[in-house]
Amino acid sequence: MKKHKNPLASLGLAFGLALGVSFSATAGEFDGVTLKVATWGGSWKANMEKIIVPKFEALGGKIEFVTGSPAANFAKLVAGRGRAPFDVMEVLDAQVGDFAQVDYLQPINLDLIPNKANLQPFQYNTTYVGSWNTQETICYNTEKFAELGLPAPKTYADLAAPELQDKVSLPDINSGAGLANFGGVIYAAGGDEQNIQPGLDLMKKINATKFWTRGGETKTQFESGDIYAAVVHAGWCTRAARAGSPVMTVHPEIKPGVKGLAKEGWLGIMKSSKNAKAAHWFINEYLTTDFQYEYAINSGVFPLNKDAIEKMKGDEINAKLMELRPDAISSMLRLDYSKVDKTAWIDGWNKTLTK
């Protein structure tokens, strides 16, 4: 991810010192504080309620969740001209460019996030701290592919097999994974962020009839037999596997030396927040080994915490369906969204796939 400079970033350290934020917290330190966190619902919120919320309550505070997609929460920011109904927000990598155009985030004092030591240096800066990533894959039903006499797919183009007609599910361009996975298809077809036509041609060739807006739809579709393959992050494939579906992931070949696609999540603190001290505490807790591992196992996202990644190797399904080698993870495709014309991508998609 490119580091987009926030106008206030240089004031980060002074900001933190002025607040008197400390690394540790003591009982009663957050008495009367209600921290509002913008995140998804479901298992995302449930894991925070299980692990992070009790710790904050023990310090006297309360955490409330504003549930919705990052796109929906950004819309709330725009509508309120930056006056956010929350303190901390989950931000997708595809939104970093949007935030760079506005002044809605306050600087993060990295000295107050000691658990950043569990991350790679590129996974934090004075505007954002990394929270998770996903490994975008092709998830397929091994039994159905065998019945059809099809080998395991290696590329997106393999989904265009006639035998798979009406049995492939792709992420809708407007879903949280839509831009990322369309970008993967574009690159695999020989294009890039500014040359999307090869990707559109390949999408038309695949001729999918099912497009998901929530990854959980693919789990249900695998269970019902409505689909034999889906482009979806590995976590949804692991959930399908845990539910009994005979599925396997493939990290698609994108181009020479690049196999697989990564989508990244970040945490930012709203400029309008009056609870920066608690917000820093929350981000630091988000990076603990316990939370990162629990989150990954139950939600299907991939942890950034190094120790949590090691623990993932002890889970049979994750070890089988996710890429756990650091070198392979670092070499996955990561889109440069600063070069993406979202309007052109969405218009091209709609004209090609919704005729």
Side-chain angles (χ1 to χ4, degrees):
M1 172 181 136
K2 291 183 177 296
K3 295 183 180 180
H4 295 271
K5 294 184 178 179
N6 185 292
L8 299 178
S10 62
L11 300 178
L13 180 58
F15 176 85
L17 294 176
L19 287 172
V21 186
S22 62
F23 291 170
S24 60
T26 57
E29 185 162 352
F30 293 122
D31 280 351
V33 174
T34 297
L35 183 72
K36 296 185 178 181
V37 178
T39 186
W40 290 270
S43 64
W44 293 74
K45 181 167 73 88
N47 284 294
M48 295 180 203
E49 290 174 331
K50 177 181 177 181
I51 297 178
I52 297 180
V53 169
K55 294 181 181 180
F56 195 66
E57 290 178 342
L59 299 173
K62 177 183 178 182
I63 295 179
E64 293 181 354
F65 295 97
V66 178
T67 57
S69 69
N73 287 324
F74 184 76
K76 295 172 187 174
L77 280 173
V78 173
R81 297 183 179 182
R83 295 185 295 275
F86 39 79
D87 302 289
V88 182
M89 176 179 168
E90 299 256 15
V91 178
L92 292 179
D93 47 10
Q95 294 180 300
V96 170
D98 297 329
F99 272 97
Q101 304 302 314
V102 294
D103 189 21
Y104 294 166
L105 298 173
Q106 62 178 264
I108 293 174
N109 183 351
L110 293 173
D111 290 339
L112 308 176
I113 314 291
N115 285 333
K116 69 181 184 296
N118 296 321
L119 278 58
Q120 299 293 333
F122 72 87
Q123 293 172 329
Y124 55 84
N125 55 61
T126 54
T127 306
Y128 302 100
V129 173
S131 49
W132 49 264
N133 67 36
T134 57
Q135 298 178 1
E136 303 297 321
T137 68
I138 296 173
C139 180
Y140 72 102
N141 184 312
T142 57
E143 292 180 358
K144 292 298 183 182
F145 268 63
E147 289 176 13
L148 295 171
L150 293 174
K154 293 182 179 180
T155 68
Y156 297 112
D158 291 334
L159 299 179
E163 296 88 344
L164 296 177
Q165 182 62 43
D166 196 40
K167 292 296 183 181
V168 174
S169 182
L170 301 177
D172 183 88
I173 190 69
N174 294 304
S175 70
L179 289 173
N181 280 286
F182 181 37
V185 172
I186 291 170
Y187 262 93
D192 57 32
E193 288 91 348
Q194 296 171 314
N195 176 23
I196 70 172
Q197 191 58 48
L200 292 172
D201 293 341
L202 179 51
M203 293 292 286
K204 188 173 183 178
K205 185 179 179 181
I206 293 173
N207 195 31
T209 58
K210 297 179 175 66
F211 299 93
W212 59 264
T213 56
R214 294 173 59 88
E217 295 171 31
T218 62
K219 173 179 173 291
T220 302
Q221 290 170 328
F222 275 119
E223 291 172 345
S224 66
D226 287 343
I227 63 172
Y228 299 161
V231 173
V232 68
H233 78 67
W236 287 113
C237 206
T238 63
R239 290 203 200 185
R242 294 184 197 282
S245 295
V247 293
M248 183 61 189
T249 56
V250 169
H251 297 271
E253 295 175 3
I254 305 294
K255 58 182 181 178
V258 179
K259 188 176 181 181
L261 170 70
K263 182 162 63 68
E264 299 169 319
W266 304 84
L267 291 169
I269 301 175
M270 301 301 102
K271 186 178 181 181
S272 60
S273 173
K274 304 301 182 184
N275 296 315
K277 182 177 182 180
H280 280 81
W281 178 93
F282 176 86
I283 292 175
N284 194 56
E285 287 298 318
Y286 202 113
L287 303 181
T288 61
T289 300
D290 286 348
F291 178 71
Q292 288 265 304
Y293 177 74
E294 190 81 14
Y295 208 27
I297 292 295
N298 295 323
S299 298
V301 296
F302 196 77
L304 303 188
N305 180 297
K306 299 172 186 177
D307 292 334
I309 293 174
E310 281 299 309
K311 288 185 68 174
M312 294 280 283
K313 296 178 181 179
D315 181 271
E316 182 179 358
I317 291 179
N318 280 312
K320 180 181 178 182
L321 275 66
M322 289 189 172
E323 178 59 76
L324 299 177
R325 296 171 298 168
D327 57 338
I329 295 172
S330 63
S331 67
M332 290 180 178
L333 175 66
R334 288 170 171 81
L335 297 176
D336 183 351
Y337 289 99
S338 68
K339 298 179 180 179
V340 173
D341 183 337
K342 293 183 182 178
T343 299
W345 280 37
I346 294 172
D347 286 348
W349 169 285
N350 288 333
K351 291 177 182 177
T352 301
L353 300 176
T354 60
K355 291 181 178 180

PDB file of all heavy atoms in Angstrom, residues 136-140 152-155 248-253 259 321:
ATOM      1  N   GLU A 136      -7.212 -13.968  -1.829  1.00  0.00           N
ATOM      2  CA  GLU A 136      -8.287 -14.152  -2.807  1.00  0.00           C
ATOM      3  C   GLU A 136      -7.950 -15.342  -3.699  1.00  0.00           C
ATOM      4  O   GLU A 136      -6.884 -15.379  -4.324  1.00  0.00           O
ATOM      5  CB  GLU A 136      -8.467 -12.879  -3.633  1.00  0.00           C
ATOM      6  CG  GLU A 136      -8.751 -11.642  -2.786  1.00  0.00           C
ATOM      7  CD  GLU A 136     -10.053 -11.742  -2.006  1.00  0.00           C
ATOM      8  OE1 GLU A 136     -11.042 -12.270  -2.553  1.00  0.00           O
ATOM      9  OE2 GLU A 136     -10.090 -11.268  -0.848  1.00  0.00           O
ATOM     10  N   THR A 137      -8.839 -16.299  -3.751  1.00  0.00           N
ATOM     11  CA  THR A 137      -8.544 -17.571  -4.403  1.00  0.00           C
ATOM     12  C   THR A 137      -9.650 -18.016  -5.358  1.00  0.00           C
ATOM     13  O   THR A 137     -10.690 -17.370  -5.464  1.00  0.00           O
ATOM     14  CB  THR A 137      -8.379 -18.685  -3.345  1.00  0.00           C
ATOM     15  OG1 THR A 137      -9.659 -18.920  -2.722  1.00  0.00           O
ATOM     16  CG2 THR A 137      -7.356 -18.314  -2.292  1.00  0.00           C
ATOM     17  N   ILE A 138      -9.384 -19.143  -6.010  1.00  0.00           N
ATOM     18  CA  ILE A 138     -10.439 -19.906  -6.671  1.00  0.00           C
ATOM     19  C   ILE A 138     -10.743 -21.071  -5.740  1.00  0.00           C
ATOM     20  O   ILE A 138      -9.869 -21.867  -5.413  1.00  0.00           O
ATOM     21  CB  ILE A 138      -9.995 -20.446  -8.039  1.00  0.00           C
ATOM     22  CG1 ILE A 138      -9.701 -19.295  -9.009  1.00  0.00           C
ATOM     23  CG2 ILE A 138     -11.078 -21.363  -8.632  1.00  0.00           C
ATOM     24  CD1 ILE A 138      -9.086 -19.750 -10.322  1.00  0.00           C
ATOM     25  N   CYS A 139     -11.961 -21.124  -5.251  1.00  0.00           N
ATOM     26  CA  CYS A 139     -12.405 -22.225  -4.393  1.00  0.00           C
ATOM     27  C   CYS A 139     -13.240 -23.165  -5.263  1.00  0.00           C
ATOM     28  O   CYS A 139     -14.135 -22.706  -5.972  1.00  0.00           O
ATOM     29  CB  CYS A 139     -13.245 -21.676  -3.243  1.00  0.00           C
ATOM     30  SG  CYS A 139     -13.890 -22.924  -2.086  1.00  0.00           S
ATOM     31  N   TYR A 140     -12.928 -24.451  -5.248  1.00  0.00           N
ATOM     32  CA  TYR A 140     -13.659 -25.356  -6.134  1.00  0.00           C
ATOM     33  C   TYR A 140     -14.020 -26.662  -5.439  1.00  0.00           C
ATOM     34  O   TYR A 140     -13.360 -27.091  -4.485  1.00  0.00           O
ATOM     35  CB  TYR A 140     -12.857 -25.635  -7.409  1.00  0.00           C
ATOM     36  CG  TYR A 140     -11.647 -26.533  -7.214  1.00  0.00           C
ATOM     37  CD1 TYR A 140     -11.687 -27.882  -7.573  1.00  0.00           C
ATOM     38  CD2 TYR A 140     -10.465 -26.042  -6.663  1.00  0.00           C
ATOM     39  CE1 TYR A 140     -10.593 -28.713  -7.405  1.00  0.00           C
ATOM     40  CE2 TYR A 140      -9.364 -26.857  -6.484  1.00  0.00           C
ATOM     41  CZ  TYR A 140      -9.434 -28.197  -6.858  1.00  0.00           C
ATOM     42  OH  TYR A 140      -8.340 -29.017  -6.682  1.00  0.00           O
ATOM     43  N   ALA A 152      -7.814 -29.682 -11.631  1.00  0.00           N
ATOM     44  CA  ALA A 152      -7.930 -28.544 -10.720  1.00  0.00           C
ATOM     45  C   ALA A 152      -7.610 -27.267 -11.485  1.00  0.00           C
ATOM     46  O   ALA A 152      -6.672 -27.231 -12.283  1.00  0.00           O
ATOM     47  CB  ALA A 152      -6.966 -28.706  -9.551  1.00  0.00           C
ATOM     48  N   PRO A 153      -8.392 -26.217 -11.299  1.00  0.00           N
ATOM     49  CA  PRO A 153      -8.117 -24.970 -12.013  1.00  0.00           C
ATOM     50  C   PRO A 153      -6.787 -24.369 -11.577  1.00  0.00           C
ATOM     51  O   PRO A 153      -6.392 -24.490 -10.413  1.00  0.00           O
ATOM     52  CB  PRO A 153      -9.294 -24.073 -11.628  1.00  0.00           C
ATOM     53  CG  PRO A 153      -9.741 -24.599 -10.292  1.00  0.00           C
ATOM     54  CD  PRO A 153      -9.522 -26.090 -10.359  1.00  0.00           C
ATOM     55  N   LYS A 154      -6.105 -23.753 -12.504  1.00  0.00           N
ATOM     56  CA  LYS A 154      -4.851 -23.068 -12.192  1.00  0.00           C
ATOM     57  C   LYS A 154      -4.966 -21.567 -12.403  1.00  0.00           C
ATOM     58  O   LYS A 154      -4.260 -20.794 -11.767  1.00  0.00           O
ATOM     59  CB  LYS A 154      -3.716 -23.622 -13.064  1.00  0.00           C
ATOM     60  CG  LYS A 154      -3.347 -25.067 -12.778  1.00  0.00           C
ATOM     61  CD  LYS A 154      -2.176 -25.496 -13.659  1.00  0.00           C
ATOM     62  CE  LYS A 154      -1.773 -26.933 -13.371  1.00  0.00           C
ATOM     63  NZ  LYS A 154      -0.630 -27.363 -14.238  1.00  0.00           N
ATOM     64  N   THR A 155      -5.825 -21.171 -13.341  1.00  0.00           N
ATOM     65  CA  THR A 155      -5.994 -19.761 -13.677  1.00  0.00           C
ATOM     66  C   THR A 155      -7.476 -19.421 -13.746  1.00  0.00           C
ATOM     67  O   THR A 155      -8.336 -20.301 -13.797  1.00  0.00           O
ATOM     68  CB  THR A 155      -5.357 -19.437 -15.038  1.00  0.00           C
ATOM     69  OG1 THR A 155      -6.116 -20.092 -16.065  1.00  0.00           O
ATOM     70  CG2 THR A 155      -3.910 -19.931 -15.093  1.00  0.00           C
ATOM     71  N   MET A 248     -11.538 -27.078  -2.149  1.00  0.00           N
ATOM     72  CA  MET A 248     -10.108 -26.808  -2.085  1.00  0.00           C
ATOM     73  C   MET A 248      -9.850 -25.457  -2.714  1.00  0.00           C
ATOM     74  O   MET A 248     -10.612 -25.015  -3.584  1.00  0.00           O
ATOM     75  CB  MET A 248      -9.327 -27.896  -2.823  1.00  0.00           C
ATOM     76  CG  MET A 248      -7.811 -27.744  -2.758  1.00  0.00           C
ATOM     77  SD  MET A 248      -7.229 -27.827  -1.026  1.00  0.00           S
ATOM     78  CE  MET A 248      -5.518 -27.358  -1.240  1.00  0.00           C
ATOM     79  N   THR A 249      -8.795 -24.792  -2.277  1.00  0.00           N
ATOM     80  CA  THR A 249      -8.440 -23.497  -2.844  1.00  0.00           C
ATOM     81  C   THR A 249      -7.301 -23.631  -3.847  1.00  0.00           C
ATOM     82  O   THR A 249      -6.480 -24.548  -3.769  1.00  0.00           O
ATOM     83  CB  THR A 249      -7.978 -22.502  -1.763  1.00  0.00           C
ATOM     84  OG1 THR A 249      -6.894 -23.083  -1.034  1.00  0.00           O
ATOM     85  CG2 THR A 249      -9.108 -22.160  -0.819  1.00  0.00           C
ATOM     86  N   VAL A 250      -7.280 -22.681  -4.765  1.00  0.00           N
ATOM     87  CA  VAL A 250      -6.164 -22.527  -5.699  1.00  0.00           C
ATOM     88  C   VAL A 250      -5.797 -21.044  -5.707  1.00  0.00           C
ATOM     89  O   VAL A 250      -6.672 -20.186  -5.863  1.00  0.00           O
ATOM     90  CB  VAL A 250      -6.556 -22.963  -7.130  1.00  0.00           C
ATOM     91  CG1 VAL A 250      -5.480 -22.547  -8.118  1.00  0.00           C
ATOM     92  CG2 VAL A 250      -6.770 -24.458  -7.189  1.00  0.00           C
ATOM     93  N   HIS A 251      -4.544 -20.768  -5.511  1.00  0.00           N
ATOM     94  CA  HIS A 251      -4.061 -19.400  -5.643  1.00  0.00           C
ATOM     95  C   HIS A 251      -3.707 -19.220  -7.114  1.00  0.00           C
ATOM     96  O   HIS A 251      -2.704 -19.752  -7.591  1.00  0.00           O
ATOM     97  CB  HIS A 251      -2.852 -19.165  -4.739  1.00  0.00           C
ATOM     98  CG  HIS A 251      -3.181 -19.311  -3.279  1.00  0.00           C
ATOM     99  ND1 HIS A 251      -3.629 -18.261  -2.514  1.00  0.00           N
ATOM    100  CD2 HIS A 251      -3.176 -20.403  -2.469  1.00  0.00           C
ATOM    101  CE1 HIS A 251      -3.875 -18.690  -1.283  1.00  0.00           C
ATOM    102  NE2 HIS A 251      -3.610 -19.981  -1.231  1.00  0.00           N
ATOM    103  N   PRO A 252      -4.548 -18.501  -7.859  1.00  0.00           N
ATOM    104  CA  PRO A 252      -4.398 -18.467  -9.314  1.00  0.00           C
ATOM    105  C   PRO A 252      -3.087 -17.862  -9.793  1.00  0.00           C
ATOM    106  O   PRO A 252      -2.534 -16.953  -9.165  1.00  0.00           O
ATOM    107  CB  PRO A 252      -5.594 -17.615  -9.757  1.00  0.00           C
ATOM    108  CG  PRO A 252      -5.931 -16.784  -8.574  1.00  0.00           C
ATOM    109  CD  PRO A 252      -5.651 -17.645  -7.391  1.00  0.00           C
ATOM    110  N   GLU A 253      -2.599 -18.401 -10.897  1.00  0.00           N
ATOM    111  CA  GLU A 253      -1.405 -17.854 -11.523  1.00  0.00           C
ATOM    112  C   GLU A 253      -1.776 -16.532 -12.181  1.00  0.00           C
ATOM    113  O   GLU A 253      -2.637 -16.484 -13.048  1.00  0.00           O
ATOM    114  CB  GLU A 253      -0.858 -18.838 -12.554  1.00  0.00           C
ATOM    115  CG  GLU A 253      -0.374 -20.149 -11.934  1.00  0.00           C
ATOM    116  CD  GLU A 253       0.065 -21.170 -12.977  1.00  0.00           C
ATOM    117  OE1 GLU A 253       0.047 -20.829 -14.184  1.00  0.00           O
ATOM    118  OE2 GLU A 253       0.409 -22.293 -12.582  1.00  0.00           O
ATOM    119  N   LYS A 259       1.798 -15.381  -7.961  1.00  0.00           N
ATOM    120  CA  LYS A 259       0.745 -16.368  -7.802  1.00  0.00           C
ATOM    121  C   LYS A 259      -0.105 -15.991  -6.605  1.00  0.00           C
ATOM    122  O   LYS A 259       0.377 -15.906  -5.482  1.00  0.00           O
ATOM    123  CB  LYS A 259       1.360 -17.761  -7.602  1.00  0.00           C
ATOM    124  CG  LYS A 259       0.353 -18.893  -7.621  1.00  0.00           C
ATOM    125  CD  LYS A 259       1.075 -20.233  -7.517  1.00  0.00           C
ATOM    126  CE  LYS A 259       0.085 -21.391  -7.569  1.00  0.00           C
ATOM    127  NZ  LYS A 259       0.765 -22.700  -7.443  1.00  0.00           N
ATOM    128  N   LEU A 321      -5.814 -25.044   3.135  1.00  0.00           N
ATOM    129  CA  LEU A 321      -6.463 -24.146   2.190  1.00  0.00           C
ATOM    130  C   LEU A 321      -5.843 -22.756   2.099  1.00  0.00           C
ATOM    131  O   LEU A 321      -6.168 -22.000   1.192  1.00  0.00           O
ATOM    132  CB  LEU A 321      -7.950 -24.010   2.520  1.00  0.00           C
ATOM    133  CG  LEU A 321      -8.872 -25.088   1.931  1.00  0.00           C
ATOM    134  CD1 LEU A 321      -8.584 -26.460   2.521  1.00  0.00           C
ATOM    135  CD2 LEU A 321     -10.339 -24.720   2.154  1.00  0.00           C
TER     136      LEU A 321
END
